[in-house]
Amino acid sequence: ERSKRNNAAATKAWDDEAKAIEKANRSVEEYHASLESQRYANYDIARSLFTVSAAMLATGTATVVAFAKWESGMANVARTTGVTGSVLEKLESDLQGLTDVLPVTTDEILQMATRAGQLGVAAGQVDEFTGTMAKLIAISDTLQADTGAEALARLANLTGTKDWEGLASAIALVGVNSAATDAQIVKTATEIGQAGAAANFTADDVI
């Protein structure tokens, strides 16, 4: 009887030890699996952080580049218009405002303002001229910022008008009611203006 009890106890002890070893092996396997999962998790986190950092860096770089281009463009505007100090600050604010309300780029705004100064538009009228041209460019498929501004300024000089808004509206109206493009209308009007300058043609006469 005692021998049976001893054998049973030994068997139980053996079973318990085997279970303990099996449990320990499972724990080791689970630990290794957790390390592998953690390694991939850390990799995913690092990759995500890198992606976010790269995106933030790209955004920051684009902002710096855009700011530098704007500052360079405004320097050209100041050079051609001759405005400085608070007048230049006011002009810059007005030009920036145009990009918020009209579907034109900052490059186009700066090009038109620069051309206005080169073509003799009075410093106090540069913002009005640029705003008018921006509206015309926004609705035209054929007029470009640089060449369009030059053509409108030349036409205004030939006819002696300072009513940029009225001149641009007249060009747009002719474009709507004819088969000619805006660019063709401006080109033809400039040619007529050159020929009619001696006859004192007004802007209305030319258009």
Side-chain angles (χ1 to χ4, degrees):
E1 183 66 29
R2 179 180 298 176
S3 176
K4 289 181 180 179
R5 285 199 302 270
N6 289 338
N7 288 338
T11 301
K12 184 177 182 304
W14 175 263
D15 290 341
D16 290 343
E17 184 176 353
K19 290 178 180 178
I21 292 172
E22 183 181 357
K23 183 178 180 181
N25 286 335
R26 281 200 307 269
S27 297
V28 171
E29 290 174 358
E30 290 171 357
Y31 175 70
H32 281 249
S34 69
L35 285 180
E36 189 71 10
S37 298
Q38 186 63 41
R39 183 170 70 86
Y40 282 111
N42 289 339
Y43 172 77
D44 288 339
I45 291 173
R47 184 173 57 182
S48 298
L49 288 174
F50 176 79
T51 302
V52 171
S53 298
M56 292 177 65
L57 179 60
T59 301
T61 301
T63 300
V64 170
V65 170
F67 177 77
K69 288 181 65 176
W70 177 264
E71 289 298 301
S72 176
M74 280 306 303
N76 288 332
V77 172
R79 176 177 55 80
T80 61
T81 60
V83 298
T84 58
S86 60
V87 178
L88 180 60
E89 292 177 2
K90 171 69 165 52
L91 176 58
E92 181 174 9
S93 177
D94 291 341
L95 295 181
Q96 286 176 329
L98 292 175
T99 62
D100 295 332
V101 297
L102 293 171
V104 290
T105 67
T106 54
D107 285 345
E108 288 173 329
I109 292 293
L110 292 170
Q111 285 176 10
M112 290 184 285
T114 300
R115 294 300 280 166
Q118 291 173 332
L119 295 165
V121 177
Q125 293 183 315
V126 171
D127 56 344
E128 180 185 350
F129 173 84
T130 305
T132 299
M133 274 305 307
K135 294 175 186 176
L136 186 58
I137 293 296
I139 63 173
S140 175
D141 294 330
T142 56
L143 280 177
Q144 302 299 316
D146 191 19
T147 55
E150 179 177 352
L152 189 69
R154 290 191 184 283
L155 181 57
N157 287 336
L158 287 170
T159 58
T161 184
K162 298 300 178 185
D163 182 13
W164 315 111
E165 190 81 26
L167 184 58
S169 296
I171 292 170
L173 182 61
V174 174
V176 170
N177 293 301
S178 74
T181 66
D182 295 329
Q184 291 171 333
I185 293 167
V186 170
K187 181 177 182 295
T188 302
T190 302
E191 293 171 351
I192 295 173
Q194 290 172 337
N200 294 321
F201 278 20
T202 65
D204 288 339
D205 292 333
V206 172
I207 298 301

PDB file of all heavy atoms in Angstrom, residues 1-11:
ATOM      1  N   GLU A   1       0.846  -1.210   0.000  1.00  0.00           N
ATOM      2  CA  GLU A   1       0.000   0.000   0.000  1.00  0.00           C
ATOM      3  C   GLU A   1       0.872   1.248   0.000  1.00  0.00           C
ATOM      4  O   GLU A   1       0.629   2.207  -0.721  1.00  0.00           O
ATOM      5  CB  GLU A   1      -0.908  -0.028   1.240  1.00  0.00           C
ATOM      6  CG  GLU A   1      -1.887   1.140   1.308  1.00  0.00           C
ATOM      7  CD  GLU A   1      -2.893   1.090   0.192  1.00  0.00           C
ATOM      8  OE1 GLU A   1      -3.225  -0.034  -0.297  1.00  0.00           O
ATOM      9  OE2 GLU A   1      -3.354   2.156  -0.233  1.00  0.00           O
ATOM     10  N   ARG A   2       1.878   1.190   0.875  1.00  0.00           N
ATOM     11  CA  ARG A   2       2.797   2.330   0.957  1.00  0.00           C
ATOM     12  C   ARG A   2       3.532   2.501  -0.354  1.00  0.00           C
ATOM     13  O   ARG A   2       3.762   3.620  -0.801  1.00  0.00           O
ATOM     14  CB  ARG A   2       3.792   2.097   2.089  1.00  0.00           C
ATOM     15  CG  ARG A   2       4.802   3.248   2.215  1.00  0.00           C
ATOM     16  CD  ARG A   2       5.767   3.003   3.343  1.00  0.00           C
ATOM     17  NE  ARG A   2       5.058   2.940   4.609  1.00  0.00           N
ATOM     18  CZ  ARG A   2       5.650   2.648   5.775  1.00  0.00           C
ATOM     19  NH1 ARG A   2       6.953   2.360   5.796  1.00  0.00           N
ATOM     20  NH2 ARG A   2       4.948   2.621   6.895  1.00  0.00           N
ATOM     21  N   SER A   3       3.896   1.394  -0.999  1.00  0.00           N
ATOM     22  CA  SER A   3       4.608   1.455  -2.276  1.00  0.00           C
ATOM     23  C   SER A   3       3.737   2.086  -3.344  1.00  0.00           C
ATOM     24  O   SER A   3       4.206   2.883  -4.172  1.00  0.00           O
ATOM     25  CB  SER A   3       5.013   0.045  -2.701  1.00  0.00           C
ATOM     26  OG  SER A   3       5.619   0.075  -3.970  1.00  0.00           O
ATOM     27  N   LYS A   4       2.439   1.769  -3.330  1.00  0.00           N
ATOM     28  CA  LYS A   4       1.518   2.368  -4.301  1.00  0.00           C
ATOM     29  C   LYS A   4       1.433   3.874  -4.107  1.00  0.00           C
ATOM     30  O   LYS A   4       1.428   4.653  -5.057  1.00  0.00           O
ATOM     31  CB  LYS A   4       0.125   1.740  -4.168  1.00  0.00           C
ATOM     32  CG  LYS A   4       0.061   0.299  -4.660  1.00  0.00           C
ATOM     33  CD  LYS A   4      -1.360  -0.246  -4.521  1.00  0.00           C
ATOM     34  CE  LYS A   4      -1.454  -1.676  -5.013  1.00  0.00           C
ATOM     35  NZ  LYS A   4      -2.820  -2.220  -4.873  1.00  0.00           N
ATOM     36  N   ARG A   5       1.374   4.278  -2.806  1.00  0.00           N
ATOM     37  CA  ARG A   5       1.270   5.715  -2.534  1.00  0.00           C
ATOM     38  C   ARG A   5       2.532   6.432  -2.991  1.00  0.00           C
ATOM     39  O   ARG A   5       2.494   7.533  -3.547  1.00  0.00           O
ATOM     40  CB  ARG A   5       1.035   5.936  -1.038  1.00  0.00           C
ATOM     41  CG  ARG A   5      -0.388   5.595  -0.599  1.00  0.00           C
ATOM     42  CD  ARG A   5      -0.717   6.248   0.739  1.00  0.00           C
ATOM     43  NE  ARG A   5       0.200   5.859   1.778  1.00  0.00           N
ATOM     44  CZ  ARG A   5       0.017   4.790   2.580  1.00  0.00           C
ATOM     45  NH1 ARG A   5      -1.049   4.022   2.432  1.00  0.00           N
ATOM     46  NH2 ARG A   5       0.899   4.475   3.518  1.00  0.00           N
ATOM     47  N   ASN A   6       3.672   5.805  -2.758  1.00  0.00           N
ATOM     48  CA  ASN A   6       4.938   6.428  -3.166  1.00  0.00           C
ATOM     49  C   ASN A   6       5.023   6.558  -4.690  1.00  0.00           C
ATOM     50  O   ASN A   6       5.482   7.566  -5.223  1.00  0.00           O
ATOM     51  CB  ASN A   6       6.119   5.612  -2.652  1.00  0.00           C
ATOM     52  CG  ASN A   6       6.279   5.732  -1.137  1.00  0.00           C
ATOM     53  OD1 ASN A   6       5.794   6.709  -0.546  1.00  0.00           O
ATOM     54  ND2 ASN A   6       6.937   4.766  -0.514  1.00  0.00           N
ATOM     55  N   ASN A   7       4.562   5.487  -5.364  1.00  0.00           N
ATOM     56  CA  ASN A   7       4.580   5.532  -6.833  1.00  0.00           C
ATOM     57  C   ASN A   7       3.651   6.616  -7.371  1.00  0.00           C
ATOM     58  O   ASN A   7       3.971   7.322  -8.331  1.00  0.00           O
ATOM     59  CB  ASN A   7       4.164   4.170  -7.411  1.00  0.00           C
ATOM     60  CG  ASN A   7       5.261   3.121  -7.216  1.00  0.00           C
ATOM     61  OD1 ASN A   7       6.427   3.473  -7.034  1.00  0.00           O
ATOM     62  ND2 ASN A   7       4.883   1.845  -7.232  1.00  0.00           N
ATOM     63  N   ALA A   8       2.467   6.721  -6.745  1.00  0.00           N
ATOM     64  CA  ALA A   8       1.495   7.737  -7.175  1.00  0.00           C
ATOM     65  C   ALA A   8       2.059   9.135  -6.960  1.00  0.00           C
ATOM     66  O   ALA A   8       1.917  10.038  -7.793  1.00  0.00           O
ATOM     67  CB  ALA A   8       0.180   7.579  -6.425  1.00  0.00           C
ATOM     68  N   ALA A   9       2.723   9.316  -5.813  1.00  0.00           N
ATOM     69  CA  ALA A   9       3.303  10.629  -5.496  1.00  0.00           C
ATOM     70  C   ALA A   9       4.414  10.956  -6.476  1.00  0.00           C
ATOM     71  O   ALA A   9       4.562  12.100  -6.940  1.00  0.00           O
ATOM     72  CB  ALA A   9       3.830  10.626  -4.068  1.00  0.00           C
ATOM     73  N   ALA A  10       5.222   9.947  -6.811  1.00  0.00           N
ATOM     74  CA  ALA A  10       6.321  10.172  -7.746  1.00  0.00           C
ATOM     75  C   ALA A  10       5.789  10.524  -9.127  1.00  0.00           C
ATOM     76  O   ALA A  10       6.314  11.412  -9.830  1.00  0.00           O
ATOM     77  CB  ALA A  10       7.203   8.929  -7.806  1.00  0.00           C
ATOM     78  N   THR A  11       4.706   9.797  -9.526  1.00  0.00           N
ATOM     79  CA  THR A  11       4.104  10.064 -10.844  1.00  0.00           C
ATOM     80  C   THR A  11       3.546  11.481 -10.911  1.00  0.00           C
ATOM     81  O   THR A  11       3.701  12.206 -11.900  1.00  0.00           O
ATOM     82  CB  THR A  11       2.985   9.051 -11.127  1.00  0.00           C
ATOM     83  OG1 THR A  11       3.542   7.721 -11.103  1.00  0.00           O
ATOM     84  CG2 THR A  11       2.342   9.312 -12.468  1.00  0.00           C
TER      85      THR A  11
END
